[in-house]
Amino acid sequence: MLFKERVLQAIGELETKLIEREELIRLTLLCIFAKHHMFLIGKPGVGKTYAIQIISKIISDGSYWEILMTKETQEKQLVGTEDTPREQTLLVHPFIFFDEMFKATDELLVALLALLNERRWTIGGKGVPVPLNSLFSASNELPFGEKIEPFSDRILVWYEVQRIKSRENKENYVRAKFNRSKESTVSFTMADIDKVQELASKVEINDEVLDYYLRLQSEILTYGIKASDRKFGPDFIVKSLKVAAVLNDRDALNLSDLLLLRHMSWTTYDERTKVAEVVNNIIFGNENNISGSIIKAKTAFKELFAQYDARCFNFVNFRIDYNTNIFNECLNYCQEFQQNASEVHQYIMDIFAHYEHSKEVLQQANDNILICEVRNFPFTETIIAAMEDIRYEVEIELKKINDFLRLYSDSYQYQQNLYAQKITPKE
């Protein structure tokens, strides 16, 4: 069963309804199909609740339930009493939205942990299973403190919903020039979600992707950001990345899937900035480091070429008075220059190999329907031009010395050429 075309159709329709919510749409769909949870932060009125209401409707047989949480919210408002119809509680709905979830009492938040992780609610001392697929929560302000710590390992995606930025989009919104229907013409079923889960369990992780994934976790930890083995384990982030592969009709992860980690490992704005930087640097490279490597190559070659004294220059251009000692001395230096220049050239080609690899990942990202855009690709036009300039400069000189040594490393051939140029060698 293929999903990519259908998911693309769903994304396209949702983008007509939710203005400037391209990334939110994709991340919400990922959470739905991965059976994971999502937290939204955003100012009042940016449409957090509305967006979830619209997106969740693509699951035609998946019911939706929501509540605004306050300090006064009581457990019976969530699970009812013996006389409450179950449809009016969270106990029978796969999609739940808690507005201002972290304003609930500590007791309710503790109960929510079991709901998120184990899909159960304790009533009368007994755990009652609930058919929860995905829980969406939102807040007008970013919560902080110890009480959100347990949730960092249970909520997959943390995302900030911002106000509409484009003037054109603002005008279209004010004039209601967008699709205001809450119904979806492209839909999936709960059985589709189960099928995605089944296919995801078979998705492969090759050695390269695994190496990058572990490097990302390690680097995130160096910043003091929580990246537990549980969250980075097989049932959480890894599972969601495998689902991303399935939704792209792939049976293996690729490096573009790892770009989704930008939204999965932060709970503060400072952490968000650092995680985005880490992900970009590991996957594509750091612009400053790449520039530094180019400067290093230029400096090394400049210093190497500066040692190319006039006598050796005259030697390769057949402008010397020949004798055996001069020939051997200059030949040895030319061979040394060749070796050192080759090392500089290899260093430059490693930079180009990095560039080519990054381009491949960029193409993967462009093909990945869950990646909205790649930000801060480090190989700018300026950097690429600098790379090409130093490669050209080194290759020109390296070709000269390679051609010379190939033809004239033998003293007899060298003297023959001197004679052909009518330069009389001395005995």
Side-chain angles (χ1 to χ4, degrees), residues 293-307:
S293 296
I294 297 170
I295 293 172
K296 182 179 179 181
K298 287 182 177 180
T299 301
F301 189 70
K302 183 177 180 180
E303 292 175 351
L304 178 63
F305 199 74
Q307 300 172 14

Side-chain angles (χ1 to χ4, degrees), residues 68 71 106 154 187 190 273 375 391 406-407 426:
L68 172 63
K71 292 181 180 179
D106 291 344
R154 291 169 172 82
S187 64
M190 298 299 294
T273 299
R375 302 161 185 163
R391 180 175 68 175
R406 177 172 53 83
L407 296 172
K426 290 186 177 182

Side-chain angles (χ1 to χ4, degrees), residues 150 186 267 270 322 353 410:
V186 182
T267 56
D270 184 53
Y322 178 87
D410 178 79

Side-chain angles (χ1 to χ4, degrees), residues 110-306:
V110 170
L112 289 179
L113 291 175
L115 175 67
L116 290 169
N117 200 47
E118 302 169 28
R119 267 65 172 186
R120 64 177 175 81
W121 194 278
T122 301
I123 301 178
K126 295 183 179 180
V128 178
V130 297
L132 176 65
N133 186 94
S134 301
L135 184 143
F136 302 94
S137 56
S139 177
N140 296 333
E141 55 189 9
L142 195 62
F144 62 90
E146 294 182 358
K147 69 179 182 180
I148 73 165
E149 283 296 317
F151 290 91
S152 66
D153 266 5
R154 291 169 172 82
I155 297 176
L156 175 69
V157 170
W158 297 67
Y159 186 78
E160 182 179 17
V161 183
Q162 298 184 350
R163 301 185 66 173
I164 298 172
K165 295 180 179 180
S166 161
R167 172 60 185 255
E168 179 182 357
N169 286 334
K170 288 180 180 179
E171 292 177 353
N172 288 337
Y173 178 72
V174 170
R175 290 171 173 158
K177 289 185 176 180
F178 62 97
N179 184 353
R180 305 187 71 177
S181 170
K182 289 189 176 183
E183 302 306 317
S184 177
T185 62
V186 182
S187 64
F188 298 86
T189 65
M190 298 299 294
D192 287 326
I193 296 176
D194 290 337
K195 183 61 178 180
V196 169
Q197 296 277 310
E198 177 189 343
L199 293 173
S201 67
K202 303 173 184 178
V203 169
E204 298 292 332
I205 307 176
N206 65 38
D207 291 343
E208 181 190 33
V209 173
L210 180 59
D211 177 63
Y212 273 77
Y213 184 74
L214 295 177
R215 285 167 58 194
L216 281 166
Q217 182 189 24
S218 177
E219 188 68 15
I220 289 171
L221 286 169
T222 64
Y223 280 93
I225 301 171
K226 190 174 182 179
S228 69
D229 289 341
R230 176 169 62 179
K231 190 164 188 177
F232 275 73
D235 298 323
F236 215 90
I237 290 180
V238 172
K239 174 186 172 184
S240 70
L241 298 182
K242 288 183 174 182
V243 165
V246 172
L247 297 182
N248 279 281
D249 293 343
R250 285 188 271 107
D251 58 8
L253 295 188
N254 66 33
L255 292 179
S256 74
D257 298 318
L258 302 187
L259 293 171
L260 293 165
L261 265 72
R262 292 181 303 184
H263 310 287
M264 300 176 181
S265 303
W266 64 272
T267 56
T268 70
Y269 291 128
D270 184 53
E271 288 181 350
R272 179 181 64 178
T273 299
K274 291 177 179 177
V275 168
E277 179 182 333
V278 167
V279 171
N280 202 70
N281 290 349
I282 294 294
I283 301 298
F284 293 116
N286 180 281
E287 183 176 341
N288 290 333
N289 290 344
I290 295 168
S291 295
S293 296
I294 297 170
I295 293 172
K296 182 179 179 181
K298 287 182 177 180
T299 301
F301 189 70
K302 183 177 180 180
E303 292 175 351
L304 178 63
F305 199 74

Side-chain angles (χ1 to χ4, degrees), residues 342-355 391 395:
S342 296
E343 291 175 357
V344 174
H345 183 258
Q346 182 57 54
Y347 182 79
I348 295 168
M349 295 312 296
D350 288 342
I351 300 175
F352 270 88
H354 180 191
Y355 171 52
R391 180 175 68 175
E395 288 182 347

Side-chain angles (χ1 to χ4, degrees), residues 3-65:
F3 285 92
K4 186 172 183 178
E5 183 177 351
R6 291 174 63 198
V7 174
L8 268 176
Q9 291 174 351
I11 290 172
E13 181 176 16
L14 289 168
E15 286 180 349
T16 68
K17 301 179 179 183
L18 302 170
I19 300 174
E20 288 188 10
R21 298 293 180 257
E22 294 83 0
E23 194 167 57
L24 173 60
I25 290 167
R26 287 160 172 79
L27 293 173
T28 305
L29 291 176
L30 175 62
C31 286
I32 288 174
F33 283 101
K35 292 189 175 182
H36 275 309
H37 315 303
M38 185 178 198
F39 175 76
L40 303 178
I41 176 71
K43 300 295 182 183
V46 295
K48 302 183 291 295
T49 305
Y50 181 77
I52 298 302
Q53 289 173 344
I54 295 295
I55 299 171
S56 64
K57 284 185 176 294
I58 72 159
I59 307 301
S60 59
D61 57 348
S63 57
Y64 171 89
W65 187 86

